[in-house]
């Protein structure tokens, strides 16, 4: 379009009509530009960047040199490395094919058919399946990241509580002092399965050690952690569980009978040795960007609950989760609709690098 033709299109229009027309043209140009940009997937809790190169090298070496050999079924070297890291005996560490496998094994060991597994809800979608596979009953506790609500939900049939802390998908967090209150008040027949897959993103850097300090005084506490999230090693499927004194026999039952693969063991050991600076940088990024999103949301018709995880639980009053998901998708950002965990109002969005947060905020601005 030539310059004369460009201005001629506005002939006979009022200033307001010209403004509206220019705004619509700009919006259309942006829609066309976004259609040529690959959508940004913020629907997952796993880390978006590639693993540390030294970890990749360790896994590659294990694949090339040891794939024909059976791995150490006890994962002794890895258990020793984790024990040194967290300050407990290796006999109180069990290694599994991801924290999820260990959580499932713990549920089958502790919760018998017809008994109850309490689950603060909404939470990690694996938990109800764990109860189902054990022949037990999953008992959701709405708003259950609250000590009083959890204790009120305990019955004589309750055998365990599966607590994701900080929670996926809401980011809710029960601090160690409140966890101690919960553990002190639980009946003797109830164990606490504390899933700390996202604990590295908690603002208080003392949080990981503070929860571990509860183990010595609470024999019914098991703490589950993973290399899948902040380490960015979800493809290795390697996690571990920690127990207090006297938990050794139970922990041995939770580990896979033939152990985890040698590549996973090698990658996890190397990650412990070399990834501290990388983990610290990722943690700092999530904490800073999480705060930035929450601050910017004040200018938008979106609500977000406080979060201590690498996710935010967003709601747009008046919109369903499906509609909000669709609007953000049109803006080039993929999120998880809360309908996947039975919530019709919220969506879960991952907090990643600043450039990704910029795209999220832009998609949110254009969604309304």
């Amino acid at each position: 379009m030539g310059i004369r033709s460009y201005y001629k299109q506005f002939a006979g229009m009022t200033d307001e009509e010209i403004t509206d027309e220019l705004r619509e043209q700009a919006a259309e140009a942006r829609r066309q530009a976004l259609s040529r940009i690959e959508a940004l997937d913020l629907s997952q809790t796993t880390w978006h960047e590639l693993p540390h190169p030294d970890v990749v090298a360790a896994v590659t070496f294990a694949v090339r040199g040891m794939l024909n050999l059976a791995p150490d079924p006890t994962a002794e070297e890895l258990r020793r490395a984790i024990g040194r890291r967290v300050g407990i005996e290796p006999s109180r560490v069990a290694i599994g094919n991801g924290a999820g496998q260990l959580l499932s094994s713990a549920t089958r060991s502790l919760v018998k058919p017809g008994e109850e597994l309490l689950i603060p809800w909404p939470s990690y979608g694996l938990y109800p399946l764990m109860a189902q596979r054990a022949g037990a009953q999953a008992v959701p506790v709405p708003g259950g990241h609250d000590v009083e609500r959890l204790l009120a939900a305990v019955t004589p049939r309750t055998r365990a509580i599966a607590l994701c802390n900080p929670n996926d998908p809401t980011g809710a967090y029960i601090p160690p002092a409140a966890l101690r209150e919960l553990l002190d008040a639980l009946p003797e027949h109830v164990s606490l399965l504390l899933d700390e897959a996202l604990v590295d993103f908690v603002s208080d850097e003392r949080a990981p050690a503070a929860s571990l300090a509860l183990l010595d005084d609470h024999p019914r506490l098991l703490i589950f952690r993973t290399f899948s999230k902040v380490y960015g090693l979800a493809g290795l499927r390697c996690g571990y569980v920690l127990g207090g004194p006297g938990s050794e026999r139970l922990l041995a039952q939770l580990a896979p009978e033939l152990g985890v693969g040698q590549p996973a063991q090698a990658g996890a050991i190397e990650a412990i040795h070399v990834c501290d600076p990388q983990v610290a940088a990722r943690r700092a990024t999530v904490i800073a960007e999480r705060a930035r999103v929450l601050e910017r949301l004040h200018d938008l018709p979106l609500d977000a609950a406080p979060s201590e995880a690498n996710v935010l639980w967003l709601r747009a009053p008046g919109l369903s989760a499906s509609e909000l998901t669709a609007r953000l998708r049109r803006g080039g950002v993929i999120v998880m609709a809360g309908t996947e965990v039975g919530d019709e109002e919220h969506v879960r969005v991952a907090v990643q690098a600043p450039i990704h947060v910029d795209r999220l905020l832009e998609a949110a601005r254009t969604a309304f």
Side-chain angles (χ1 to χ4, degrees):
M1 179 185 296
I3 188 169
R4 181 175 297 178
S5 299
Y6 176 78
Y7 284 108
K8 190 175 181 179
Q9 68 178 320
F10 301 120
M13 298 174 65
T14 66
D15 289 347
E16 289 184 357
E17 290 172 332
I18 292 173
T19 299
D20 291 342
E21 178 69 19
L22 290 173
R23 185 179 292 113
E24 178 56 33
Q25 289 180 8
E28 179 60 27
R30 182 183 177 281
R31 283 193 291 269
Q32 292 181 6
L34 282 174
S35 68
R36 296 189 293 269
I37 299 175
E38 184 176 354
L40 173 63
D41 189 353
L42 297 181
S43 67
Q44 305 296 318
T45 59
T46 48
W47 196 254
H48 59 286
E49 295 176 318
L50 294 174
H52 194 290
D54 289 355
V55 174
V56 175
V59 172
T60 302
F61 181 83
V63 169
R64 286 182 171 178
M66 290 175 271
L67 205 57
N68 60 315
L69 303 176
D72 174 10
T74 67
E76 182 176 357
E77 184 179 358
L78 177 54
R79 288 190 299 108
R80 289 185 181 277
I82 292 172
R84 286 192 297 268
R85 169 59 59 92
V86 300
I88 67 175
E89 298 85 353
S91 59
R92 291 164 52 189
V93 181
I95 309 299
N97 294 304
Q101 177 262 307
L102 293 166
L103 281 158
S104 295
S105 294
T107 302
R108 288 193 298 272
S109 294
L110 297 170
V111 188
K112 304 307 178 187
E115 295 177 337
E116 296 176 349
L117 175 69
L118 292 192
I119 306 169
W121 201 254
S123 194
Y124 187 29
L126 174 66
Y127 300 157
L129 294 176
M130 297 184 334
Q132 180 183 21
R133 290 168 182 170
Q137 180 181 358
V139 180
V141 183
H145 269 70
D146 177 90
V147 171
E148 292 185 2
R149 289 183 182 179
L150 283 174
L151 291 174
V154 172
T155 74
R157 296 172 57 201
T158 304
R159 290 297 176 268
I161 300 173
L163 178 62
C164 187
N165 200 50
N167 189 38
D168 172 19
T170 67
Y173 179 65
I174 299 179
L179 284 177
R180 184 177 290 278
E181 293 178 16
L182 173 63
L183 287 161
D184 289 343
L186 282 177
E188 289 293 328
H189 63 273
V190 180
S191 297
L192 179 61
L193 311 181
L194 185 60
D195 182 353
E196 292 194 330
L198 304 179
V199 73
D200 295 287
F201 302 110
V202 174
S203 301
D204 187 350
E205 61 183 9
R206 299 168 297 178
S211 58
L212 293 177
L214 300 172
L215 286 171
D216 286 344
D217 298 328
H218 299 92
R220 289 170 287 111
L221 170 64
L222 295 174
I223 297 179
F224 300 80
R225 293 183 177 177
T226 181
F227 291 94
S228 294
K229 306 302 182 181
V230 74
Y231 285 98
L233 300 175
L236 285 186
R237 306 306 308 144
C238 189
Y240 57 98
V241 55
L242 310 168
S247 65
E248 293 84 355
R249 184 175 179 180
L250 172 61
L251 293 178
Q253 296 174 0
L254 304 187
E257 289 81 355
L258 299 179
V260 301
Q262 189 59 41
Q265 293 187 40
I269 291 168
E270 189 67 18
I272 292 172
H273 291 157
V274 305
C275 286
D276 281 355
Q278 186 183 63
V279 166
R282 291 175 176 179
R283 174 180 178 276
T285 294
V286 167
I287 291 173
E289 294 305 307
R290 186 172 65 205
R292 182 161 73 100
V293 174
L294 291 173
E295 181 180 356
R296 296 289 181 86
L297 289 183
H298 292 156
D299 301 325
L300 296 169
L302 284 169
D303 298 334
S307 174
E308 288 291 338
N310 62 333
V311 295
L312 291 172
W313 193 229
L314 304 183
R315 180 178 74 96
L319 292 184
S320 67
S322 298
E323 176 60 23
L324 180 55
T325 300
R327 291 193 183 193
L328 293 173
R329 182 63 178 85
R330 288 195 291 269
V333 173
I334 302 171
V335 300
M336 187 198 84
T339 50
E340 294 192 17
V341 289
D343 190 298
E344 299 293 336
E345 294 186 336
H346 290 82
V347 303
R348 186 193 69 192
V349 56
V351 179
Q352 297 181 350
I355 189 172
H356 299 150
V357 167
D358 289 341
R359 286 189 61 181
L360 168 64
L361 292 171
E362 179 62 18
R365 280 192 291 268
T366 59
F368 302 96

